[in-house]
Amino acid sequence: MSLARDLGYEFRPPNAAQRAVQVVVASRPGAWVFARTLPPIDTWVGRVSRGRTSVPEAGAGLPVLDVTTTGRRSEQRRTTHLVAVPCAGTLALIGSDFGQAATPAWALNLEADPRATVTYRGRAVEVVARPATDDEVEQVMAAAASLYRGYAAHRRRIGERRLRVFLLEPA
């Protein structure tokens, strides 16, 4: 069983315009802007397209999962749009937050409660997220670099903050 295949989640080679967008997003100023503006815009695009596309998918060729976690303090269900990395027969989530200083809330939520729901184009799967081992982190980052070069830049910019990487397993 492959979670990526079961969801129909796949990367297609980006076109020239999408590669240019990826360069901008990988830059420090681009990442800063996208980290702050992308979530609400992408939510709106998802509603208008009825979940058929997202800003990262259309603009940068990066497919996006909706990952629903339980808030560690609020205990409310929270949905975040994330690019997942196919790796070792499953999907991995990288908590780089575009290379920002703070750990993203969804990663802290998964540490507190690893149960989540991932949805891609209307297909939902219950999963359990487990922290990747050090060796798995390196495998995921190598796979990620082949899909989007910005991950390496994001990883460098987070500095001393521990990069959270999770592997998703069907519940």
Side-chain angles (χ1 to χ4, degrees):
M1 178 171 149
S2 166
L3 186 57
R5 187 181 59 244
D6 291 347
L7 287 168
Y9 186 84
E10 63 183 353
F11 282 78
R12 292 184 178 90
N15 61 37
Q18 291 169 328
R19 286 191 302 273
V21 169
Q22 287 187 18
V23 169
V24 171
V25 175
S27 72
R28 185 179 297 273
W32 186 88
V33 169
F34 274 85
R36 285 155 180 78
T37 62
L38 184 59
I41 294 169
D42 205 33
T43 297
W44 180 82
V45 168
R47 282 189 195 130
V48 170
S49 73
R50 295 187 183 122
R52 288 188 302 271
T53 195
S54 65
V55 173
E57 189 163 17
L62 302 171
V64 172
L65 288 177
D66 285 340
V67 179
T68 303
T69 62
T70 301
R72 66 192 181 287
R73 291 188 292 226
S74 70
E75 297 184 8
Q76 300 290 316
R77 298 290 282 167
R78 307 284 185 198
T79 300
T80 307
H81 312 293
L82 299 172
V83 174
V85 176
C87 186
T90 191
L91 293 173
L93 301 176
I94 301 171
S96 65
D97 195 23
F98 294 94
Q100 304 305 297
T103 298
W106 65 263
L108 298 173
N109 291 344
L110 283 178
E111 287 182 337
D113 182 352
R115 294 169 297 160
T117 304
V118 294
T119 307
Y120 183 68
R121 295 189 174 168
R123 175 149 174 136
V125 176
E126 297 297 318
V127 297
V128 176
R130 69 169 180 81
T133 65
D134 291 343
D135 287 342
E136 289 170 330
V137 168
E138 295 312 315
Q139 288 176 327
V140 168
M141 295 309 292
S146 72
L147 301 171
Y148 166 56
R149 70 185 203 156
Y151 278 122
H154 298 172
R155 188 178 193 187
R156 283 190 302 275
R157 284 198 300 268
I158 67 170
E160 297 300 314
R161 173 170 71 82
R162 180 171 59 92
L163 179 66
R164 268 72 165 192
V165 177
F166 298 90
L167 295 175
L168 304 178
E169 299 171 348

